[in-house]
Amino acid sequence: MRSLLYVMTALSVIALAFWAYRENYATQQALGEVEELRVEISQARDRLAILKAEWAYLNRPDRLLDLADLNFDRLQLLPLQADQFGMVEQVSYPPVNIDIINDVVEVSNQEAEQ
C-alpha cells in the first residue's frame, strides 16, 4: 500500500512539473507577444505624430493662400472674409419634441424613487 502511495505521489509531482513547465512557456510567449504589441503601438504613435506635424505644416495659412493664388484660374478660390460667416441664429435646427423629453424625465424620476 505504501509503494502505491509513493508511485501516485511521484506521478502527481511529475504531472505538476509538466504543467508548470508548459504554463511557464505559455506565459513567456504571451509576454513576448505583449512586448511586440507595445513596440508596434509605439511605432504607430510615432508615425501618427509625424503625420500630424506634416499635416500642420501643409495647412499653414500662408502656404494655402499662395496655392489658392497660383490655382485661381482653375479653382477660383477667394480668401475668406468675416462677412462670409453666418450667425448662429441663422442655423435651422430640427424641432425639439418636448413630450419625449418629459417622458424620459418622468421615467428616470420613477426609477430614482424605487
Side-chain angles (χ1 to χ4, degrees), residues 9-23:
T9 304
L11 289 175
S12 298
V13 168
I14 291 171
L16 287 174
F18 180 72
W19 172 81
Y21 178 79
R22 289 188 56 158
E23 286 298 315

Side-chain angles (χ1 to χ4, degrees), residues 35-95:
E35 186 60 32
E36 289 175 7
L37 287 174
R38 285 183 179 166
V39 168
E40 288 179 22
I41 289 170
S42 174
Q43 291 171 349
R45 285 184 178 158
D46 290 343
R47 285 191 310 268
L48 182 61
I50 290 170
L51 290 173
K52 284 182 179 180
E54 289 176 353
W55 183 256
Y57 180 75
L58 292 174
N59 283 321
R60 291 171 295 144
D62 57 337
R63 178 183 173 274
L64 294 177
L65 184 62
D66 291 341
L67 285 174
D69 289 342
L70 285 172
N71 295 305
F72 180 76
D73 295 337
R74 204 166 42 124
L75 300 175
Q76 297 181 356
L77 296 174
L78 297 175
L80 289 177
Q81 296 179 7
D83 62 344
Q84 293 175 327
F85 294 97
M87 303 296 290
V88 174
E89 294 82 20
Q90 295 173 331
V91 176
S92 62
Y93 293 103

Side-chain angles (χ1 to χ4, degrees), residues 101-114:
I101 295 173
N102 288 335
D103 292 343
V104 170
V105 170
E106 288 176 10
V107 168
S108 64
N109 288 339
Q110 290 173 356
E111 289 176 356
E113 290 175 0
Q114 294 175 357

Side-chain angles (χ1 to χ4, degrees), residues 25-36:
Y25 276 97
T27 302
Q28 288 178 2
Q29 182 180 4
L31 289 174
E33 290 173 5
V34 167
E35 186 60 32
E36 289 175 7

